Amino acid sequence: MSDVLANDLIAPDAGVSPLLNQSGVSILKAAPIARLSFRAREAALANAGTAFGVPLPTQPLSSEVGAKRAALWMGPDEWTLLAPEEDLETLFATIENALGEQPHALVDISERSEAIIVSGEKAAWLLNTGIFIDFSIEEFPVGTVSRTIFHKSPVMIWRTGADTFVVEAWVSFMEYVSGLLVQSAQELSAA
């Protein structure tokens, strides 16, 4: 996966000041995007991927990215599909039409979650203040996506670059998640 392609879709919200911008790490609120939850069996994957414009990944913890599109593996029969906000209605209809009578579930979850972009040489360290995953590039390479818990909040972590992670949480949890990250970053400035 390329940083350039992820940045084509996941970008900072231009109207919001950085939550944190200090030496070694920054936290930026991501601009709103369309999010679709897609569930289906293997028979529907090729048609869904073609309609979406990006093949759906079948390897656990992986993602596929194309121009202004990303498909994230969430489970054996579940994916999160990301696209620009303005493409939501057309994209939804295109996938539904392509699948026809094939059993599947496609749900707009755009309003459920928000994302922040955690980046910089200390990004993995900062995430490890609340997540017990080895974020070394060897164990969690670019393109890896995982659901996990940050302190007490469910989150999704997607590595989009060597030192860049997208952290997604439900809207009701995002202030908690981002607040704890900013608070933990104070240790960096004290060091």
Side-chain angles (χ1 to χ4, degrees):
M1 181 181 108
S2 156
D3 245 348
V4 174
L5 291 176
N7 290 340
D8 196 21
L9 177 63
I10 306 293
D13 190 335
V16 177
S17 298
L19 300 173
L20 176 75
N21 193 7
Q22 68 183 46
S23 178
V25 68
S26 71
I27 302 173
L28 304 169
K29 184 174 175 150
I33 58 172
R35 291 176 181 84
L36 295 172
S37 175
F38 177 71
R39 298 198 73 158
R41 301 259 164 102
E42 190 174 337
L45 299 188
N47 287 345
T50 300
F52 182 57
V54 173
L56 304 188
T58 55
Q59 293 290 86
L61 308 173
S62 66
S63 61
E64 290 287 338
V65 193
K68 296 191 182 237
R69 298 273 189 277
L72 312 177
W73 185 93
M74 295 283 106
D77 67 348
E78 182 182 1
W79 294 262
T80 296
L81 309 178
L82 306 175
E85 249 185 338
E86 61 271 13
D87 294 353
L88 177 62
E89 288 181 26
T90 303
L91 186 57
F92 196 94
T94 301
I95 294 171
E96 285 292 339
N97 289 337
L99 293 176
E101 296 298 315
Q102 288 182 294
H104 70 280
L106 184 64
V107 179
D108 175 10
I109 58 169
S110 302
E111 300 298 323
R112 179 188 77 184
S113 298
E114 290 181 337
I116 55 175
I117 303 162
V118 180
S119 61
E121 63 185 35
K122 298 291 186 178
W125 177 91
L126 185 58
L127 292 172
N128 278 146
T129 63
I131 300 171
F132 302 105
I133 291 178
D134 182 352
F135 286 119
S136 68
I137 196 76
E138 297 80 22
E139 296 300 319
F140 203 91
V142 174
T144 302
V145 60
S146 180
R147 285 187 213 184
T148 189
I149 301 292
F150 179 80
H151 290 278
K152 296 180 181 181
S153 173
V155 295
M156 184 274 301
I157 305 290
W158 177 30
R159 187 178 216 146
T160 60
D163 292 326
T164 305
F165 298 84
V166 173
V167 179
E168 189 171 286
W170 286 13
V171 171
S172 57
F173 292 120
M174 185 51 82
E175 187 174 338
Y176 170 77
V177 171
S178 59
L180 283 174
L181 285 168
V182 169
Q183 182 180 350
S184 297
Q186 291 173 357
E187 289 183 38
L188 287 174
S189 59

